[in-house]
Amino acid sequence: MTKKTVADALHVFYELNSTFADAYWETNDINQKDRFFAMKSMLQDELDELHKLSVQDHIYPYESIDPGVLQLRDELRALLPDMSRVVLRPKTINRFLELIPSACELFEL
């Protein structure tokens, strides 16, 4: 398995951040809104740290910077079995199904 770069992580995280926002606005359940907001916040903290890197650093292997982002891995894994119950639009479900394995792979490295 090849090590993912900072650029790879940014791509996955931008897409995941957008998908969290979509899921947040699509649900009517306040508990699910809280869940998606919390996950988006965890991811945003990591993105804020990654934005401090220079563009030249984007070629280096990705390592999580904010320890809170590792909690996101567990939240993403917990979301998978509940996906069809908590995410309403098929497009958003498909985006999550594509992005969650990629994000979890980044956290495993």
Side-chain angles (χ1 to χ4, degrees):
M1 174 174 15
T2 59
K3 191 119 170 111
K4 300 296 183 180
T5 65
V6 171
D8 297 329
L10 284 169
H11 175 73
V12 170
F13 291 164
Y14 286 140
E15 292 295 318
L16 192 56
N17 204 25
S18 174
T19 306
F20 284 145
D22 290 345
Y24 175 88
W25 290 110
E26 292 167 12
T27 188
N28 294 324
D29 182 332
I30 190 67
N31 294 319
Q32 295 309 320
K33 281 193 180 292
D34 287 346
R35 181 182 196 181
F36 291 124
F37 182 82
M39 288 191 287
K40 187 172 177 15
S41 295
M42 285 184 253
L43 184 60
Q44 189 60 53
D45 290 344
E46 181 73 358
L47 281 170
D48 290 346
E49 292 300 320
L50 289 172
H51 288 146
K52 295 175 184 177
L53 300 174
S54 72
V55 174
Q56 290 84 1
D57 293 336
H58 288 198
I59 61 168
Y60 293 115
Y62 169 74
E63 293 179 18
S64 61
I65 299 170
D66 185 343
V69 80
L70 297 179
Q71 292 177 333
L72 182 59
R73 175 190 58 203
D74 299 332
E75 292 292 327
L76 289 170
R77 287 186 177 145
L79 178 62
L80 278 173
D82 291 342
M83 187 73 65
S84 62
R85 186 180 62 79
V86 299
V87 180
L88 303 179
R89 288 180 54 215
K91 178 181 177 182
T92 306
I93 290 172
N94 290 335
R95 286 177 65 199
F96 270 130
L97 292 174
E98 177 185 325
L99 292 167
I100 289 174
S102 298
C104 288
E105 182 180 321
L106 287 166
F107 301 138
E108 299 299 324
L109 300 175

